[in-house]
Amino acid sequence: AQSVTQLDSHVSVSEGTPVLLRCNYSSSYSPSLFWYVQHPNKGLQLLLKYTSAATLVKGINGFEAEFKKSETSFHLTKPSAHMSDAAEYFCVVSGGGADGLTFGKGTHLIIQP
Amino acid sequence: DGGITQSPKYLFRKEGQNVTLSCEQNLNHDAMYWYRQDPGQGLRLIYYSQIVNDFQKGDIAEGYSVSREKKESFPLTVTSAQKNPTAFYLCASTSVTGESYNSPLHFGNGTRLTVT
């Protein structure tokens, strides 16, 4: 069994300040972990993925995430927020099976001008 | 460009009517998925298909049906038995390497269904 918890339903930051979106997971296997972004009325777009290579993963648009096995966390960060980063972000864990994707409930990122 | 096309973008239906949502991909992916998205709930799996002419129920399959007659196409029918069909529906696909499903999902832009 696997699960994923996004610790904040909403995060609000000012433009130009750092972003931190928190994700904890549980999995019986060595999981693959993903972060996706969704803009309003759009599908989800992959930001980055962890599949047991380097623990610090760099993604698109300046985002990165660090896999910490001891803390079962996979937090998403960005050094400087941009207005275009305003969106819904999903943390996803995969156990590798065909139906094995588990989605977090999402974090709504708000960027204040 | 390769991708997933969902149509229509918006769909309105009266209660008691069946409705079919289209999903077509030209990525040559074997596996395809249907998810339902409600505010604050994340994505929930309705059905998935690993190969043509085969599909499996996901977590919330009741009131839905699918077919997979072609590799490129995975239409979803929302039947009158679905008690609360108003939602945003997302189709996705992924490549499969052996037994591994760790490749990222590619998503369509969704269909917003409103039933009144």
Side-chain angles (χ1 to χ4, degrees):
Chain A
Q2 59 196 28
S3 67
V4 59
T5 302
Q6 292 184 241
L7 297 166
D8 306 292
S9 60
H10 292 79
V11 169
S12 180
V13 302
S14 298
E15 190 175 19
T17 65
V19 175
L20 170 64
L21 305 183
R22 298 181 295 165
C23 173
N24 286 353
Y25 72 92
S26 69
S27 176
S28 304
Y29 308 96
S30 295
S32 293
L33 293 156
F34 308 84
W35 275 100
Y36 286 85
V37 60
Q38 183 182 33
H39 289 93
N41 293 311
K42 296 287 189 184
L44 279 68
Q45 180 187 12
L46 179 70
L47 276 178
L48 50 80
K49 64 176 180 178
Y50 166 78
T51 53
S52 75
T55 56
L56 183 62
V57 183
K58 293 190 185 301
I60 62 171
N61 300 335
F63 284 94
E64 62 182 38
E66 186 171 8
F67 174 72
K68 292 187 176 180
K69 188 174 180 179
S70 60
E71 299 176 11
T72 60
S73 69
F74 190 57
H75 301 334
L76 182 70
T77 60
K78 182 173 181 177
S80 176
H82 191 272
M83 294 300 291
S84 61
D85 294 328
E88 192 85 12
Y89 291 79
F90 292 94
C91 183
V92 182
V93 61
S94 172
D99 66 337
L101 288 174
T102 301
F103 285 78
K105 293 190 186 300
T107 298
H108 185 56
L109 178 61
I110 301 161
I111 311 296
Q112 306 280 2
Chain B
D1 284 339
I4 299 180
T5 301
Q6 289 188 244
S7 60
K9 188 170 179 62
Y10 297 95
L11 192 52
F12 298 89
R13 280 292 182 270
K14 294 289 188 185
E15 197 172 309
Q17 292 179 335
N18 291 355
V19 60
T20 297
L21 283 59
S22 170
C23 176
E24 303 277 333
Q25 55 103 354
N26 61 3
L27 298 165
N28 199 34
H29 285 167
D30 287 304
M32 297 187 73
Y33 301 79
W34 274 105
Y35 289 92
R36 171 180 171 138
Q37 185 176 23
D38 297 283
Q41 300 249 8
L43 274 67
R44 293 182 290 169
L45 182 63
I46 305 173
Y47 268 98
Y48 66 101
S49 169
Q50 300 165 258
I51 195 170
V52 173
N53 292 324
D54 188 39
F55 46 83
Q56 285 77 41
K57 293 181 179 179
D59 301 318
I60 56 164
E62 185 176 349
Y64 299 98
S65 66
V66 294
S67 62
R68 186 87 186 275
E69 297 177 2
K70 299 186 300 182
K71 186 175 184 177
E72 304 79 26
S73 179
F74 192 41
L76 173 74
T77 297
V78 185
T79 75
S80 56
Q82 168 50 233
K83 290 182 174 27
N84 185 19
T86 294
F88 190 53
Y89 291 88
L90 286 160
C91 180
S93 70
T94 190
S95 59
V96 180
T97 305
E99 296 293 315
S100 172
Y101 287 78
N102 285 328
S103 298
L105 290 176
H106 295 253
F107 284 85
N109 279 328
T111 292
R112 188 166 297 281
L113 173 64
T114 303
V115 177
T116 57

